[in-house]
């Protein structure tokens, strides 16, 4: 009941905030109904049922398994109520490594912790988390189950990977940046070759952020999939008012080839004049694009930095408003610069690889490996552009890099899975794919939380502590 009530309050509060942002678009007499629906709508009850049922099932199964399947320890458990035989020989806090120090607990808390640590097995948390998670997620709408399952799965992967590397002393420098680069490589490939494997809203946002004409993006997709393109896309670009004469002539020449008999669609990429019809030189594109994307992204990231600060860090903001505003402002600048750098870098790669393809193709003296031609003109070259562009994550604040990597990871995994499924490499999951994915994710998350919670991200630990309680 407590978990359900907290979940209901969180979801209703979020709905109210979103509803108030729509006040300017709805008549005054409908605002009360909008607020009432935001608080008592189905979304609030679904969210409460999901988290309430998860906590209930998890606690019931976790506490029942040691009773149904008791495990006798090899040696008697030390009682927290017994005194040490020789207190004079006990190590002082300074003699104990920081990683092994334990907090001072009451006798009852010590007894509870001994029972949890010694008698609970890791597989208990795995089974309890998997069963509770798979049942609980079914309370949500089908459209939201995929997102929830994906986020839980990647959080479980993150915790499992951190626990594995910590035990074995493995350290991968800038691992979050590497994950982000690999994810962006898959997303860039999917955007220009398999857009149906990405959410429609996500592809729309990416194309808008790129600043390229939509018909030019459609041309790239058609060329990558069929080797041809729709001449109507060239006509749409020619109708733009910002097309300069030089680019218009290049586009018309490409159109003449495509409409000849037999049709000749030319190089395996659209003319650069169709991608940036307002300027002739490719060298003049990155810097203006950097500034345009920065201005476009600034209000978006401003809301992401300032609104959570006002809602969740109110006491810190009221105690030192100038410092908090300065931090939020700097964070907005860095986040906007990160996205702008990514777009400008990808645009540079787009034009660079096409120029290199044309130069190498015209080269007669040197013997160029055919694999290099195929790479520069293939659909996989866009994945390389996404990988190189994602290095712009170094512009972002270090503590946000991991969260951004966890944001794009589920989208790239879903895209890779759907691409592999389209080629017949993997099986179909049917109507229960979200349930199975949630079960795997929550099994990993609860196993780590119950035994090694320090390996989970701070955000996940705080959420689980509020609903589950101490591990």
């Amino acid at each position: 009941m407590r978990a359900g009530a907290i979940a209901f309050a969180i979801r209703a509060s979020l709905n109210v905030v979103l509803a108030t942002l729509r006040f300017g678009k709805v008549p005054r007499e409908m605002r009360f109904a909008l607020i009432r629906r935001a608080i008592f709508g189905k979304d609030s009850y679904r969210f409460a049922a999901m988290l309430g049922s998860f906590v209930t099932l998890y606690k019931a199964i976790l506490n029942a398994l040691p009773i149904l399947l008791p495990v006798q320890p090899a040696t008697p458990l030390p009682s927290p109520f017994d005194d040490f035989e020789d207190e004079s020989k006990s190590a002082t806090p300074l003699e104990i490594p920081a990683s092994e120090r334990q907090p001072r607990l009451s006798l009852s808390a010590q007894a509870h912790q001994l029972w949890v640590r010694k008698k609970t097995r890791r597989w208990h948390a795995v089974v309890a988390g998997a069963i509770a998670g798979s049942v609980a997620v079914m309370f949500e709408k089908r459209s939201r189950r995929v997102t929830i399952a994906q986020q839980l799965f990647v959080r479980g992967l993150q915790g499992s990977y951190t626990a594995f590397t910590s035990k074995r002393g493995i350290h991968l420098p800038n691992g979050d940046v590497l994950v982000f680069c690999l994810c962006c490589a898959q997303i860039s490939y999917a955007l220009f070759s398999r857009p149906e494997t990405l959410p429609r809203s996500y592809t729309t946002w990416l194309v808008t952020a790129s600043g390229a004409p939509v018909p030019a993006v459609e041309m790239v997709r058609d060329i990558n999939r069929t080797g041809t393109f729709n001449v109507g896309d060239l006509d749409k670009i020619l109708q733009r008012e910002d097309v300069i004469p030089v680019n218009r002539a290049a586009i018309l020449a490409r159109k003449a080839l495509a409409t000849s008999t037999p049709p000749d669609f030319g190089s395996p990429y659209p003319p650069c004049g169709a991608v940036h019809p307002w300027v002739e030189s490719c060298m003049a594109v990155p810097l203006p694009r950097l500034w345009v994307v920065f201005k476009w992204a600034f209000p978006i990231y401003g809301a992401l930095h300032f609104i959570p600060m006002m809602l969740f860090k109110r006491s810190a903001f009221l105690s030192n408003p100038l410092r908090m505003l300065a931090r939020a402002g700097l964070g907005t600048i860095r986040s906007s610069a990160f996205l702008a750098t990514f777009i400008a870098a990808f645009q540079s790669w787009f034009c660079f690889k096409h120029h290199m393809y044309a130069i190498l193709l015209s080269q007669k003296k040197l013997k160029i490996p055919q694999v290099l031609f195929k790479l520069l003109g293939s659909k996989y070259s866009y994945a390389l552009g996404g990988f190189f562009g994602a290095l712009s994550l170094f512009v972002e604040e270090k503590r946000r890099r991991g969260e951004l990597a966890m944001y794009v990871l589920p989208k790239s995994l879903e895209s890779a899975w759907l691409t592999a499924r389209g080629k017949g490499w993997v099986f179909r999951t049917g109507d229960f794919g979200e349930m199975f994915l949630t079960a795997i994710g929550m099994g990993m998350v609860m196993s780590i939380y119950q035994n090694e919670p320090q390996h989970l991200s701070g955000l996940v630990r705080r959420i689980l502590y509020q609903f589950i309680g101490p591990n």
Side-chain angles (χ1 to χ4, degrees):
M1 292 297 295
R2 175 183 176 275
I6 294 176
F8 185 93
I10 292 175
R11 183 69 190 185
S13 301
L14 178 61
N15 289 343
V16 168
V17 173
L18 296 177
T20 54
L21 297 177
R22 298 174 52 195
F23 271 5
K25 300 180 181 180
V26 298
R28 184 180 297 273
E29 60 273 10
M30 294 181 60
R31 293 178 180 176
F32 178 75
L34 184 65
I35 294 296
R36 182 180 59 191
R37 182 179 178 182
I39 298 175
F40 299 105
K42 289 184 179 180
D43 290 346
S44 300
Y45 289 104
R46 283 180 176 273
F47 195 66
M50 181 182 67
L51 288 177
S53 62
F54 172 77
V55 173
T56 301
L57 288 173
Y58 177 76
K59 293 294 244 183
I61 297 172
L62 185 68
N63 293 334
L65 285 176
I67 300 174
L68 298 175
L69 303 172
V71 178
Q72 295 297 332
T75 56
L77 294 176
S79 171
F81 304 101
D82 294 339
D83 294 331
F84 291 105
E85 293 182 0
D86 187 2
E87 295 184 356
S88 62
K89 296 182 179 180
S90 60
T92 64
L94 295 178
E95 296 171 344
I96 303 175
S99 59
E100 300 179 5
R101 294 178 192 170
Q102 301 293 331
R104 295 182 179 180
L105 302 173
S106 64
L107 293 179
S108 60
Q110 290 181 42
H112 173 74
Q113 191 174 55
L114 278 174
W115 185 85
V116 169
R117 294 296 184 188
K118 298 297 183 181
K119 300 192 71 174
T120 301
R121 293 296 180 260
R122 183 181 292 273
W123 71 269
H124 292 179
V126 174
V127 172
I131 295 176
S134 61
V135 173
V137 77
M138 301 304 289
F139 283 99
E140 265 292 358
K141 290 181 179 179
R142 185 175 182 83
S143 59
R144 290 178 184 157
R145 293 176 198 166
V146 176
T147 302
I148 295 172
Q150 289 174 345
Q151 283 297 323
L152 294 175
F153 181 71
V154 299
R155 294 297 178 176
L157 285 179
Q158 181 188 28
S160 300
Y161 170 79
T162 306
F164 177 82
T165 54
S166 298
K167 287 180 180 178
R168 288 157 180 78
I170 302 173
H171 175 64
L172 182 62
N174 300 310
D176 46 7
V177 178
L178 178 60
V179 171
F180 186 78
C181 290
L182 293 174
C183 292
C184 288
Q186 169 60 35
I187 291 173
S188 299
Y189 164 79
L191 179 65
F192 293 104
S193 300
R194 298 292 302 274
E196 69 278 4
T197 64
L198 294 171
R200 182 180 297 273
S201 59
Y202 194 59
T203 58
T204 303
W205 187 86
L206 289 174
V207 172
T208 303
S210 69
V214 176
V217 176
E218 293 294 337
M219 288 182 63
V220 174
R221 292 170 178 171
D222 292 338
I223 292 173
N224 286 338
R225 287 180 290 191
T226 64
T228 64
F229 58 84
N230 184 2
V231 178
D233 290 330
L234 288 178
D235 293 330
K236 293 178 182 178
I237 297 175
L238 290 171
Q239 293 173 4
R240 292 172 59 102
E241 297 180 354
D242 57 354
V243 183
I244 62 175
V246 176
N247 289 336
R248 183 179 295 275
I251 296 173
L252 287 173
R254 189 68 176 269
K255 179 182 177 180
L257 290 174
T259 55
S260 62
T261 305
D264 181 9
F265 293 96
S267 56
Y269 50 86
C272 288
V275 179
H276 45 81
W278 55 87
V279 63
E280 176 185 4
S281 174
C282 296
M283 298 292 291
V285 176
L287 285 179
R289 183 66 57 84
L290 185 74
W291 175 241
V292 170
V293 176
F294 180 88
K295 292 190 298 181
W296 175 79
F298 192 85
I300 299 175
Y301 281 112
L304 293 177
H305 280 274
F306 281 92
I307 292 179
M309 179 187 67
M310 300 293 185
L311 294 178
F312 305 117
K313 298 181 180 180
R314 190 178 306 167
S315 58
F317 174 74
L318 294 177
S319 61
N320 196 341
L322 293 179
R323 179 174 177 271
M324 295 298 292
L325 288 174
R327 286 185 59 184
L330 180 61
T332 302
I333 293 173
R334 294 187 66 166
S335 297
S336 303
F338 145 69
L339 182 61
T341 305
F342 182 99
I343 298 298
F346 188 87
Q347 175 68 59
S348 301
W349 166 256
F350 183 90
C351 294
F352 170 77
K353 76 183 188 72
H354 296 161
H355 281 290
M356 287 299 299
Y357 182 89
I359 292 173
L360 294 177
L361 186 64
S362 62
Q363 180 61 248
K364 302 299 182 181
K365 296 181 179 180
L366 298 178
K367 189 175 181 180
I368 308 298
Q370 290 297 317
V371 65
L372 185 58
F373 282 111
K374 293 181 179 180
L375 176 62
L376 292 175
S378 72
K379 56 187 177 181
Y380 302 106
S381 61
Y382 298 95
L384 282 177
F387 185 93
F388 294 141
L391 294 173
S392 61
L393 188 64
F394 283 110
V395 177
E396 198 35 292
E397 191 175 358
K398 186 174 180 60
R399 66 180 181 86
R400 283 182 51 83
R401 295 173 189 172
E403 292 300 322
L404 286 171
M406 291 300 102
Y407 172 74
V408 298
L409 180 58
K411 292 178 173 23
S412 64
L413 289 178
E414 180 184 13
S415 174
W417 178 271
L418 293 177
T419 301
R421 193 178 71 182
K423 296 181 179 180
W425 295 348
V426 297
F427 56 89
R428 293 182 177 271
T429 56
D431 296 332
F432 302 99
E434 303 92 348
M435 185 177 69
F436 292 141
L437 189 60
T438 304
I440 297 172
M442 286 310 299
M444 291 189 291
V445 169
M446 298 316 300
S447 172
I448 301 299
Y449 180 73
Q450 190 68 33
N451 296 276
E452 300 164 309
Q454 69 274 15
H455 296 311
L456 292 172
S457 67
L459 175 64
V460 176
R461 286 201 310 270
R462 286 191 292 269
I463 293 175
L464 291 176
Y465 183 84
Q466 291 298 323
F467 288 95
I468 301 295
N471 51 293

